Amino acid sequence: MIKIALAEDHLIVRQGLLALLAMEPDFSVVGETSDGLEVVPLVERLQPDVLVLDLMLPGMNGLDITRQVVRRSPQTQVVILSMHADEVYVLEALRTGAKGYVLKGSGIEDLMNAVHEVAEGRVYLSPPLSERAIAAYIESADAGFSEEYESLTSRERQVFHLAAEGQSNRSIATRLSISPRTAETHRTNLMRKLALHTQAELIAYAIGRGIVAPEDSSLLD
């Protein structure tokens, strides 16, 4: 039996996926959440074999969640669900440790295949991504990715994501159960590390790395 945790913020989509996954006789969905900040604690508590993870979640994006899951629950394989077929998203997902990348426009069979494949330790990408993206990832290795972003702490990445969503220091503080002054300090430190000077630069950086989609930032409406 393959134990699965599901993280998807759209209720109708999540309910549909739960119903479809439950139809597979060797799948057992052991937990679900819609909040990016809840995913890692959920995985640590339940220790699923596979995490099916939406790329864009409120609070923390799928890429940073994957980094933490790989470190804290190495036996859990991550399958990213995404509407983005752009190479930057796929390669970054692979780089952070995801073993599967399934396009939301695919059929349910695609997701079923992905779960089975990654549970067996193999990589699975939705067609037409396939081996071409894997080859590109191997060739590029770590080239072209920002070392500055890798220097951010886990808390700074949480603050970065929420700031890129357009949230104020006070809102970030409430979300993360820290003081507004601490949120401001983290924000100042991460912007210094990334050599960013304005909110617009922060958002552009987040979009460029695939950390948030343009529609996720309230400042771009």
Side-chain angles (χ1 to χ4, degrees):
M1 186 69 69
I2 299 173
K3 296 189 299 180
I4 302 170
L6 174 63
E8 162 63 55
D9 62 322
H10 293 96
L11 179 59
I12 292 177
V13 176
R14 189 170 71 255
Q15 290 178 334
L17 288 172
L18 288 170
L20 291 167
L21 290 170
M23 294 172 62
E24 192 74 2
D26 59 340
F27 288 176
S28 173
V29 180
V30 296
E32 60 176 293
T33 183
S34 62
D35 188 338
L37 294 175
E38 295 178 356
V39 179
V40 176
L42 180 77
V43 169
E44 288 186 304
R45 186 175 77 252
L46 299 176
Q47 299 289 299
D49 302 304
V50 177
L51 169 65
V52 177
L53 175 65
D54 191 359
L55 181 64
M56 300 296 178
L57 288 172
M60 182 180 290
N61 72 90
L63 300 178
D64 283 330
I65 291 170
T66 300
R67 287 186 181 90
Q68 293 194 32
V69 168
V70 168
R71 185 172 67 252
R72 300 186 188 184
S73 184
Q75 80 284 355
T76 300
Q77 306 302 324
V78 178
V79 173
I80 295 287
L81 276 178
S82 174
M83 67 179 67
H84 301 286
D86 301 23
E87 187 175 80
V88 63
Y89 291 98
V90 181
L91 299 186
E92 185 75 341
L94 292 172
R95 180 175 178 270
T96 57
K99 296 299 183 183
Y101 194 98
V102 175
L103 298 174
K104 286 190 172 182
S106 303
I108 187 60
E109 297 83 5
D110 205 20
L111 178 58
M112 299 289 194
N113 290 336
V115 171
H116 280 118
E117 288 293 299
V118 303
E120 293 295 326
R122 294 184 288 270
V123 173
Y124 183 90
L125 302 177
S126 282
L129 303 175
S130 65
E131 289 78 10
R132 180 174 58 82
I134 298 177
Y137 166 66
I138 294 172
E139 290 174 8
S140 64
D142 289 330
F145 294 99
S146 169
E147 293 182 2
E148 290 80 7
Y149 186 77
E150 299 302 326
S151 74
L152 299 185
T153 65
S154 295
R155 180 65 85 188
E156 286 170 347
R157 292 183 187 189
Q158 291 175 339
V159 172
F160 178 87
H161 184 101
L162 294 169
E165 291 179 350
Q167 297 195 34
S168 67
N169 289 333
R170 185 169 296 278
S171 296
I172 292 171
T174 299
R175 194 84 164 79
L176 300 179
S177 299
I178 58 179
S179 71
R181 186 164 187 173
T182 298
E184 182 179 4
T185 298
H186 284 310
R187 191 172 190 150
T188 298
N189 288 341
L190 72 87
M191 292 189 72
R192 174 181 51 79
K193 289 180 180 180
L194 299 177
L196 304 175
H197 303 95
T198 66
Q199 176 70 5
E201 289 180 356
L202 185 150
I203 293 171
Y205 185 96
I207 293 172
R209 281 189 61 93
I211 293 168
V212 298
E215 62 270 20
D216 290 333
S217 173
S218 64
L219 299 188
L220 296 181
D221 291 341

